[in-house]
Amino acid sequence: MKCSRTRLIVVVTAIVAAVAAFLMLALAVPFKLYSLEQNQLFLWDRHYILSTICSVGGISRLLSDFLLGFFAVKYAGAAISAVLLSLLVLFSGKAVGRCGAPDGCIPPLALVPAIAVLAVLLDPALHWDEVISLVAAFAAFAGYVSIENYKTRCAAGTLLFPLLWLATGAEGLLFTICVLLYEFLKGNFSWPTAIQPVVTAAVLFAGVRLSWVPDPRWDLGPLSHYEWHGELSLGQLMPWISLPMSMVLAALTTLLRRKGVKIAFATVLYGAVLLYGVFTAVAICRTDQSFEELDWHLKARDWDGVIASYEKYSRSPDIKVINDVFLNIALAEKGELCEKMFNYEQHGLSSLYFNYGRNVRAASLMNELYYSAGAVALSARMAFEANVNAYGHLNPRMTQRLVQTNIILGSYEVAEKYIKLLEKSIFYRKWATSQRQFLGDDERVAGDSEYGAKRLCTDGANYLGETEGFDNDLMEILRNNPSHTISADYLMAMYLLERDMDGLALALDEFYGTEALATLPKAVQEAVIITSEVKPGYMEQFEIDRRIFSRYLKLRREAGDLYSNDQQILYKLTANYMDTFWLYAMFADNDE
């Protein structure tokens, strides 16, 4: 009867944990979960599957890649994560129950490992196969403690370790640690138990000698699933120590014989786990997912969504300058970049264009900028950089972009190579097959509304560009394809953000009045008015809106009072003209 009641308590705890985890992840950090899918690309390919399985930890890595593919579906990531966390609760509950925890203490003790995993679940440096590996290790240990006969249990543990180590990697060592701790707590620390560490040491030594373990310093511990290795933090260590800690606490309850002490201990235990859970929940809910949310809308080409998300996060004091690039791409795609860019706070040229380094996020974002501007070869270069530096196995979206850019550039054999890769995936197979119609068919490419316009920008020149600056590349694009007016918007925006009036004047001399720049956008008119202050008569060369010029004259009158150092006048000036290039030119700090 007690066994049935204990099992019921564990199951109910797991169900409650699954529901709570799903609601929190689905409502608080959906875009973080969506972004995890972009860290890898699962392929139904014999070579890929066999090569992955044959490596240490390959089975968990392959399974995690497969499951992460479903994160592209709305709420699927939250549901899968919730199920895995509930399994951790089930297996942990089994373990702590066997360690002697009374029924009343099982729920908090079983929840500790799941909360610990939840706390690191969204770490961008974490390879998600750690979650699968922990579930496998906990499942193996739950099966181990279910065996009643001591010698049979020890024999099973000895056999389980090498299989678990090959399947999950470092978590096999965690299994051995839990086995030794369990037998110590049970008072069974005799020669059958001693076989376990001997076998573990022998297997790990062989793995190192055979180079199955590339770096023993990291690949045999809690950091084995992290993209980069730094100082080990308590948060990264908690998924490993959580189950042993719960087992020790469970055994401790058997020492507390007096009822009053048990109740006091249980009260403290419930309170500690509740605080731990609340702290983790608050940390997750406060997680910055601005980049992921903006990137999600950018991927969907939902420009209004990008702008709305930017406005939501721009009120936060820790807004990142990189998010400005999302905003300016969206404005450019809507044809409003040089009309409305100064309606928002800009931080110099870095708000539009920056050095990407080897950062995957920055490279993928620069890829989007270049593609939008018509710099197709540069876009292909950034997509390649982001792809090879992806945290996992390829990046689905960057692989798609490599298909697109190579089709536009006429590199059909290269495009087909990436099409074949995507055709082996689950969610990108249909799209990849649809791109085959363009292979080798220049007329079809030229007739496509997107590919045709981008190809005109290249004029058949397969160059990487930026040898003389991106502004010169934009000018060359406009010479090849004057109808690609978005390139003119980017060109003007670059000069405005740099406050380079000479560069702007040269661009206007060449392109004003052409199809590329038939009329001057609002911000450019404001820059022309400023230039006319030092070049009398310059403004007469352009068609300037009288309302804009009248507003400038009003600004000059009000700005004259600034010399009195009247802060109220400065605030009034900022409030009345904060949407103008004039105010940016006078007061904005350049954060490049």
Side-chain angles (χ1 to χ4, degrees), residues 373-535:
V376 181
L378 282 170
S379 175
R381 174 187 167 190
M382 291 299 102
F384 182 81
E385 290 282 355
N387 216 14
V388 298
N389 289 297
Y391 297 149
H393 175 72
L394 300 178
N395 179 300
R397 181 165 149 210
M398 292 300 102
T399 306
Q400 286 181 296
R401 182 51 51 81
L402 286 168
V403 171
Q404 295 174 311
T405 51
N406 281 287
I407 286 176
I408 294 168
L409 294 171
S411 302
Y412 297 124
E413 292 183 359
V414 179
E416 187 174 20
K417 179 184 74 172
Y418 292 111
I419 287 175
K420 287 180 179 179
L421 277 177
L422 291 172
E423 284 180 331
K424 296 176 182 178
S425 67
I426 301 174
F427 293 99
Y428 300 94
R429 181 184 298 116
K430 183 177 180 181
W431 180 90
T433 302
S434 71
Q435 300 303 301
R436 285 190 171 278
Q437 62 179 314
F438 298 107
L439 297 181
D441 193 338
D442 291 335
E443 290 187 7
R444 187 181 291 273
V445 173
D448 185 78
S449 59
E450 180 178 345
Y451 291 167
K454 301 294 185 187
R455 174 168 285 191
L456 287 175
C457 295
T458 67
D459 194 27
N462 188 0
Y463 57 89
L464 291 181
E466 288 192 301
T467 55
E468 298 180 6
F470 186 49
D471 55 336
N472 282 288
D473 292 345
L474 290 171
M475 288 185 180
E476 189 62 31
I477 289 171
L478 290 171
R479 293 175 188 130
N480 293 332
N481 184 9
S483 64
H484 202 256
T485 55
I486 192 172
S487 298
D489 286 340
Y490 282 118
L491 179 63
M492 300 297 109
M494 285 184 67
Y495 289 134
L496 292 172
L497 290 171
E498 288 189 291
R499 306 171 215 185
D500 183 358
M501 297 300 98
D502 292 335
L504 181 64
L506 289 174
L508 292 177
D509 287 345
E510 179 172 356
F511 297 110
Y512 177 64
T514 67
E515 185 180 2
L517 193 62
T519 59
L520 294 185
K522 170 180 171 290
V524 179
Q525 291 187 49
E526 292 168 348
V528 167
I529 293 173
I530 289 180
T531 305
S532 67
E533 293 281 3
V534 295
K535 292 183 179 181

Side-chain angles (χ1 to χ4, degrees), residues 265-425:
F265 180 81
T267 302
V268 173
L269 183 62
Y270 272 90
V273 173
L274 179 61
L275 287 176
Y276 183 33
V278 170
F279 177 80
T280 300
V282 170
I284 287 178
C285 292
R286 295 183 62 184
T287 298
D288 178 16
Q289 62 171 349
S290 58
F291 182 94
E292 290 80 6
E293 183 171 340
L294 288 161
D295 193 56
W296 171 264
H297 291 297
L298 183 65
K299 175 185 176 183
R301 301 182 69 82
D302 176 12
W303 310 122
D304 290 331
V306 171
I307 294 171
S309 295
Y310 175 87
E311 290 175 338
K312 178 174 72 174
Y313 290 107
S314 65
R315 291 186 286 272
S316 174
D318 59 348
I319 183 71
K320 305 296 188 298
V321 173
I322 196 173
N323 291 351
D324 297 347
V325 182
F326 285 102
L327 168 71
N328 289 327
I329 290 175
L331 291 174
E333 289 288 345
K334 287 170 64 68
E336 299 174 350
L337 180 58
C338 291
E339 290 286 341
K340 297 183 178 180
M341 63 186 296
F342 294 109
N343 289 5
Y344 308 89
E345 185 176 0
Q346 301 289 341
H347 302 88
L349 186 59
S350 59
S351 291
L352 180 69
Y353 177 84
F354 55 87
N355 292 324
Y356 69 96
R358 296 186 67 82
N359 184 289
V360 175
R361 286 183 168 187
S364 64
L365 185 54
M366 287 303 294
N367 152 74
E368 296 289 354
L369 170 69
Y370 287 137
Y371 190 77
S372 173
V376 181
L378 282 170
S379 175
R381 174 187 167 190
M382 291 299 102
F384 182 81
E385 290 282 355
N387 216 14
V388 298
N389 289 297
Y391 297 149
H393 175 72
L394 300 178
N395 179 300
R397 181 165 149 210
M398 292 300 102
T399 306
Q400 286 181 296
R401 182 51 51 81
L402 286 168
V403 171
Q404 295 174 311
T405 51
N406 281 287
I407 286 176
I408 294 168
L409 294 171
S411 302
Y412 297 124
E413 292 183 359
V414 179
E416 187 174 20
K417 179 184 74 172
Y418 292 111
I419 287 175
K420 287 180 179 179
L421 277 177
L422 291 172
E423 284 180 331
K424 296 176 182 178
S425 67

Side-chain angles (χ1 to χ4, degrees), residues 62-91:
L62 193 69
L63 183 57
S64 70
D65 287 354
F66 174 75
L67 292 177
L68 280 171
F70 292 91
F71 279 41
V73 180
K74 190 174 184 181
Y75 301 133
I80 292 172
S81 300
V83 169
L84 293 175
L85 291 172
S86 69
L87 290 176
L88 289 175
V89 174
L90 282 174
F91 300 139

